[in-house]
Amino acid sequence: MSQAALKDLRNQALALDEGERAELAHALLLSLDGEPDADAAQQWQQEIERRLADLDAGKVELVDYDSLRTRLRHRIHDRE
């Protein structure tokens, strides 16, 4: 595709409303992903079960969003 055609296509896409742009972006990103692993669903299920078991066993602690955001801001500030 020529640069002019690509620019025209980009302009057309940017003229779409927000929902249409999101749908297009999602479709484009999916096209880059390739085929999922055959056992991806099983691996995700195992990961979910492992995380739930860690929660039940008290190995991990849930953190609310506000606390997490504050901790992350402190870490970023400390690196500057």
Side-chain angles (χ1 to χ4, degrees):
M1 177 177 284
S2 72
Q3 288 298 318
L6 182 59
K7 184 177 180 180
D8 184 51
L9 183 59
R10 183 182 303 120
N11 288 338
Q12 289 178 44
L14 292 172
L16 298 171
D17 69 38
E18 184 177 329
E20 292 168 329
R21 288 193 322 271
E23 187 176 335
L24 177 59
H26 180 71
L28 290 172
L29 288 172
L30 285 178
S31 75
L32 297 174
D33 253 355
E35 293 296 315
D37 294 339
D39 61 346
Q42 180 184 3
Q43 290 178 0
W44 273 115
Q45 184 63 37
Q46 290 172 349
E47 179 65 14
I48 290 166
E49 290 172 5
R50 183 191 66 77
R51 291 181 185 201
L52 287 172
D54 285 349
L55 279 170
D56 291 341
K59 292 181 180 179
V60 293
E61 175 186 343
L62 294 177
V63 178
D64 66 88
Y65 175 74
D66 290 333
S67 297
L68 174 63
R69 185 178 60 195
T70 299
R71 286 171 41 189
L72 289 173
R73 283 184 175 164
H74 285 278
R75 283 186 187 181
I76 291 169
H77 183 266
D78 290 345
R79 290 183 181 177
E80 293 177 348

